[in-house]
Amino acid sequence: MASEKPFVSIIIPVKNFERTIEKTFEYLLNVDYPHNSWEWVIADGGSTDKTIEVIKNWQKKYPFIKLVEVPNCPSPGFARNLALEVVKGDFLFFTDADCAPCRDWINEMLKHFARDPKIAAVGGEVFTLKVDPNNLIEAWCQHFRFNMVSPRYGFIKEGYYPDFPKEPKPTDIGGHKAYFFGTCNVAYRKKILDELGVKFWERPTGEDMNLSYETRRAGYKFYFAPKAKVDHMHRADLQSLRRVWVTYGQAHLPLIDKYVKTKGLEIILQFLKRKPSFILPVPIRGFIYIGDFHLIHIFGVLFLASLILSFIWQGPLWAFISLAAWFLTLYFSFQYVKWNFGMEPTNKFWVWCKMKYLTNFSFIEGGLIGYSKYKILCIEPSF
């Protein structure tokens, strides 16, 4: 008897994922969905480890696995686009080769597509799957809620994303109001993508955000379904994690260049509870977040400068400025690191502080790369 379930395509770009890909395959096999109603399309971007060998061994057992080889692949978006050329599914499920979807992953998303034909994409929550219980990077990612959807937008609940703004501001595209689904856990209705003629852009980063915006600005809906969760196996070392944060920052400049047409810098007072913002009328685009991370450095520099000046021009004024700047440096430093006090193991407190600081620094570094090309300034948020 033929399956009544929609045919779905699961698309996974890979490059040198021998560490985690079999774990992803094992979790996918456990997903509750008939095997005659799905295909897995694996797009390999030129792996030099044993990734392709692993995939081909699995293909011998499971004929629904397709391999698309993309030598010298320039970006994950390029690989996904080549995979899209061979898919047969009515719904396109995207995840990564370091992700572990839950058992109800497909059915949970499909039920939302079924009740509203205007839904173009359904995305689920992303949690951390610790592969090595002694790996501090994995522990940090879990504590930080790395890649989680709900905390990114103020702990939203299940439901529709806001409509795409007619005149987006920089933070609607690259900031805390940039509503998108990452390709580690999202499904798209293929009919809508075909209708719009959209696909992933082929830049090194930001392809998931761009596809989200292309679809949302056409008037289609995005739905957040947290029960359709995947667990994410994160980078195993700090250097790799920092590289990821650099690319996250880099993505924002070309996106703002594409979608934000009005000049001006959006200033966000992140250190205040409601994050009020205003537009500074200047001839460039972008945003500047002012949060605990930034204020530590601002008042730290002010403290050093006033301390030096107090020796040159002795008097109560510079001494007062120096003392006030020192107090504010300490205050915002405490605000920045206090979140780490409850993290286990507690004897690694300074390790957690180091990870938070360096990944935040890398994020801000990424947002500054490309300024000379785009004339867009992105001072990324404080963690």
Side-chain angles (χ1 to χ4, degrees), residues 258-290:
K258 178 176 180 178
Y259 291 99
V260 178
K261 303 306 178 185
T262 305
K263 299 243 181 196
L265 279 175
E266 189 175 4
I267 311 298
I268 306 95
L269 305 181
Q270 189 189 1
F271 65 96
L272 297 177
K273 187 175 182 179
R274 296 185 180 276
K275 299 184 181 68
S277 65
F278 60 91
I279 299 293
L280 190 66
V282 292
I284 61 173
R285 293 165 291 169
F287 54 69
I288 298 176
Y289 279 85
I290 303 175

Side-chain angles (χ1 to χ4, degrees), residues 5-189:
K5 296 278 191 178
F7 194 82
V8 304
S9 300
I10 300 171
I11 300 166
I12 306 175
V14 299
K15 186 174 183 180
N16 297 332
F17 271 92
E18 67 173 348
R19 170 178 170 259
T20 57
I21 190 170
E22 284 204 278
K23 182 68 71 175
T24 293
F25 285 176
E26 290 167 7
Y27 273 85
L28 278 173
L29 273 183
N30 194 47
V31 170
D32 181 20
Y33 208 72
H35 291 188
N36 63 340
S37 293
W38 71 8
E39 63 179 356
W40 303 359
V41 183
I42 318 300
D44 183 88
S47 292
T48 55
D49 62 2
K50 295 181 180 179
T51 299
I52 291 181
E53 179 183 335
V54 171
I55 296 168
K56 289 184 176 179
N57 285 336
W58 276 70
Q59 282 184 301
K60 295 173 184 176
K61 302 178 187 176
Y62 303 102
F64 51 75
I65 299 177
K66 297 179 180 178
L67 173 61
V68 178
E69 295 191 55
V70 192
N72 303 314
C73 181
S75 69
F78 185 89
R80 291 189 183 98
N81 285 336
L82 289 186
L84 288 175
E85 293 179 5
V86 303
V87 297
K88 298 178 180 178
D90 299 313
F91 296 91
L92 310 176
F93 283 71
F94 293 92
T95 191
D96 293 328
D98 53 3
C99 289
C102 70
R103 182 168 175 77
D104 295 327
W105 184 52
I106 294 177
N107 288 320
E108 182 66 27
M109 290 198 185
L110 287 179
K111 76 178 186 182
H112 299 294
F113 282 117
R115 64 180 178 78
D116 187 348
K118 290 290 287 181
I119 291 178
V122 178
E125 192 53 278
V126 181
F127 295 94
T128 293
L129 176 63
K130 293 178 69 175
V131 178
D132 179 359
N134 298 315
N135 187 294
L136 296 180
I137 300 299
E138 292 181 350
W140 164 250
C141 289
Q142 185 177 47
H143 181 69
F144 184 70
R145 307 186 184 101
F146 184 50
N147 281 343
M148 286 189 70
V149 177
S150 177
R152 187 193 305 153
Y153 305 120
F155 295 93
I156 59 173
K157 306 296 183 184
E158 178 177 326
Y160 290 97
Y161 272 5
D163 292 338
F164 193 77
K166 292 182 179 179
E167 296 183 5
K169 296 178 180 178
T171 54
D172 294 318
I173 301 303
H176 64 288
K177 296 181 289 183
Y179 285 85
F180 71 97
F181 287 128
T183 39
C184 62
N185 188 13
V186 65
Y188 278 87
R189 194 188 301 268

